[in-house]
């Protein structure tokens, strides 16, 4: 009877071409889109459109313009505007995300008051402002360290600690060091070290696990809806008369949904490997166990939700809004580290967070690191399946 239930669900999927595409093609397409979006929307890959306008036309501002235009981490364009109002209009229209107006000489000894650089921001693109400021400071430190140090020396002179002669001597020393192309110590103060192994794309592997969790939940919910259809059509009453009753039918559906989930996970990670260099081979066994447990967790939860639903509309709401809510809080749509602390903690009560944790640990460190997540997912799968069996048996009684 278990194999019969498995075979019925398999034949139903194979005969419905639209469902077949939704189950196995759509997850791969959605993952490809999300990976392309989010792999370029975090960290150094954020390439905001920066507009530049040099009103001062001094040697230091020209050096800064050239350094910004040469930086590969930036997408820079010179604004055709002739004044600050024109730059403000360009940002307001969305021609650029942020505009930098160089309205004064960067040299500390130049005449004039106020800040020489004006940043024009758009409140609708609030994230672009700190990114632009950080990139500007990085370029200044790397390409114009003598200018930065000269401004610091000018502050010291104003405090009365040194005189004009000492200041001129230091500025000359900075200029000579720049001419010799010797690095300034403060520009290379920080050494960066990553946890990435270098053998795989860790950023994209996160989204492969995140999208896998979403689609396994969606697909499991759609498959488990047959429980409600069978009950409303009266087929469940006839299945009760068979050997094992409805319990074996639920077990057959559970096994089918687990197998379907593993195939979906394999397709998503295959796309990640082909398009983004994600390599699961070093920890292939841990990946397989994780995929089995994520599929089992999704199947158990879906069957429990549909067994508890009195109508198809209730089950459909759980399959759409419920899955979307769990996915949003669990980190499948936005990484949890970007969320408020209380929402990060709430994410641990979602299956998505544990699925992502399991995949991350399994692919980066192997089975030993993934054991806690495996334990949670296995427990949720058992509880969900047990709840589904109990509800079906109670309705049958």
């Amino acid at each position: 009877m278990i194999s019969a239930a498995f075979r019925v669900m398999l034949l139903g999927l194979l005969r419905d071409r639209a469902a077949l595409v939704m189950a196995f093609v759509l997850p791969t397409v959605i993952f490809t889109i999300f990976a392309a979006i989010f792999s370029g929307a975090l960290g150094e890959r954020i390439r905001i459109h920066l507009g530049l306008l040099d009103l001062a036309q001094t040697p230091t501002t020209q050096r800064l313009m050239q350094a910004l235009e040469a930086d590969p981490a930036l997408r820079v364009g010179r604004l055709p505007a002739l004044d600050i109002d024109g730059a403000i209009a360009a940002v307001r229209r969305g021609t650029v995300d942020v505009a930098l107006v160089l309205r004064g000489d960067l040299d500390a000894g130049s005449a004039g008051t106020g800040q020489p650089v004006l940043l024009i921001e758009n409140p609708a693109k609030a994230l672009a402002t700190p990114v632009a400021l950080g990139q500007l400071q990085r370029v200044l430190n790397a390409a114009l360290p003598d200018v930065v140090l000269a401004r610091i020396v000018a502050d010291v002179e104003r405090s009365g600690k040194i005189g004009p002669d000492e200041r001129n001597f230091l500025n000359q020393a900075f200029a000579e060091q720049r001419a010799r192309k010797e690095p300034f110590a403060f520009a290379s103060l920080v050494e960066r070290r990553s946890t990435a192994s270098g053998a795989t794309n860790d950023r994209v592997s996160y989204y492969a696990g995140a999208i896998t969790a979403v689609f396994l939940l969606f697909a499991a919910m759609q498959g488990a809806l047959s429980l409600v259809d069978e009950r409303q059509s009266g087929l469940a009453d006839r299945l009760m008369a068979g050997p094992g009753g409805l319990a074996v039918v639920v077990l057959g559906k559970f096994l089918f949904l687990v197998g379907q989930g593993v195939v979906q996970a394999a397709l998503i990670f295959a796309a990640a490997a082909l398009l983004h260099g994600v390599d699961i081979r070093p920890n292939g066994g841990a990946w397989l166990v994780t995929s089995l447990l994520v599929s089992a967790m999704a199947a158990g939860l879906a069957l429990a939700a549909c067994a508890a639903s009195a109508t198809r509309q209730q089950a459909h709401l759980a399959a759409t809004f419920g899955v979307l809510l769990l996915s949003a809080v669990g980190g499948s749509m936005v990484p949890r580290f970007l969320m408020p602390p209380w929402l990060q903690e709430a994410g641990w009560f979602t299956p998505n967070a544990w699925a992502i944790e399991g995949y991350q640990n399994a692919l980066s460190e192997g089975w030993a690191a993934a054991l806690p997540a495996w334990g949670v997912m296995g427990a949720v799968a058992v509880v969900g399946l047990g709840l589904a069996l109990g509800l079906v048996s109670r309705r049958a009684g």
Side-chain angles (χ1 to χ4, degrees):
M1 194 67 176
I2 294 177
S3 60
F6 184 100
R7 186 169 178 271
V8 167
M9 293 195 70
L10 178 61
L11 290 176
L13 180 63
L14 294 177
R15 289 169 181 167
D16 190 343
R17 294 184 178 179
L20 200 61
V21 171
M22 292 285 287
F24 298 117
V25 177
L26 186 60
T28 307
V29 173
I30 295 297
F31 159 73
T32 303
I33 295 172
F34 268 66
I37 293 172
F38 288 108
S39 65
L42 293 173
E44 293 180 344
R45 294 195 177 194
I46 300 180
R47 299 183 73 239
I48 61 171
H49 194 182
L50 184 65
L52 298 178
L53 177 59
D54 186 3
L55 298 179
Q57 295 292 328
T58 66
T60 56
T61 58
Q62 291 175 5
R63 283 177 57 197
L64 179 58
M65 293 279 283
Q66 294 169 0
L68 289 170
E69 290 174 327
D71 195 297
L74 297 171
R75 187 159 56 104
V76 175
R78 298 204 178 203
L79 297 176
L82 301 176
D83 53 20
I84 294 176
D85 290 337
I88 292 175
V91 175
R92 184 181 293 119
R93 288 194 305 266
T95 305
V96 293
D97 301 321
V98 179
L100 289 178
V101 180
L102 308 182
R103 56 184 179 180
D105 196 351
L106 303 180
D107 187 359
S110 62
T113 59
Q115 292 87 350
V117 181
L118 172 65
L119 184 142
I120 301 171
E121 60 181 332
N122 187 341
K125 301 177 180 179
L127 180 61
T129 300
V131 173
L133 289 172
Q135 297 285 28
L136 173 62
Q137 190 63 55
R138 179 181 59 80
V139 171
L140 282 170
N141 290 343
L144 287 85
D146 55 314
V147 174
V148 176
L149 289 173
R151 297 187 69 86
I152 296 174
V153 170
D155 291 336
V156 176
E157 182 188 13
R158 280 192 293 271
S159 69
K161 301 298 182 181
I162 62 174
D165 293 338
E166 289 86 353
R167 175 188 169 185
N168 292 333
F169 170 78
L170 292 173
N171 288 343
Q172 182 64 30
F174 297 153
E176 291 176 358
Q177 185 169 351
R178 183 177 68 86
R180 294 194 300 267
K181 297 183 179 181
E182 295 180 358
F184 287 74
F186 82 95
S188 57
L189 186 64
V190 178
E191 176 190 359
R192 297 176 57 181
R193 186 170 299 179
S194 174
T195 60
S197 62
T200 187
N201 191 330
D202 293 333
R203 182 183 285 111
V204 174
S205 68
Y206 172 92
Y207 288 103
I211 297 300
T212 296
V214 176
F215 272 97
L216 262 59
L217 282 170
F218 269 123
M221 288 297 299
Q222 293 301 316
L225 282 173
S226 60
L227 276 178
V228 182
D229 295 334
E230 291 165 359
R231 187 169 65 242
Q232 292 184 335
S233 66
L235 180 60
D237 296 331
R238 284 175 287 187
L239 291 174
M240 266 189 288
L246 286 177
V248 294
V249 175
V250 172
L251 289 174
K253 294 179 184 295
F254 176 80
L255 291 177
F256 171 81
L257 293 175
V258 171
Q260 175 184 264
V262 172
V263 174
Q264 287 179 316
L267 290 173
I268 291 173
F269 276 90
L274 291 173
L275 300 177
H276 299 282
V278 174
D279 189 5
I280 66 171
R281 290 174 297 177
N283 294 298
W287 173 88
L288 180 59
V289 173
T290 304
S291 296
L292 283 168
L293 288 172
V294 174
S295 302
M297 177 175 62
L301 289 173
L303 289 169
C306 289
S309 300
T311 64
R312 182 179 176 84
Q313 185 177 7
Q314 292 179 3
H316 183 69
L317 286 173
T320 52
F321 294 106
V323 172
L324 286 174
L325 180 62
L326 292 174
S327 300
V329 177
S332 286
M333 298 182 179
V334 178
R336 287 172 53 241
F337 72 86
L338 296 175
M339 301 178 185
W342 67 269
L343 200 54
Q344 293 184 33
E345 295 300 321
W348 291 118
F349 293 94
T350 68
N352 301 69
W354 289 106
I356 294 170
E357 185 80 1
Y359 275 121
Q360 287 289 97
N361 291 337
L363 293 178
S364 61
E365 300 181 52
W367 65 269
L371 282 177
W374 288 358
V376 172
M377 291 189 291
V380 173
V382 170
V383 170
L385 179 60
L387 185 60
L389 291 171
L391 289 171
V392 167
S393 300
R394 189 176 67 177
R395 287 182 184 276

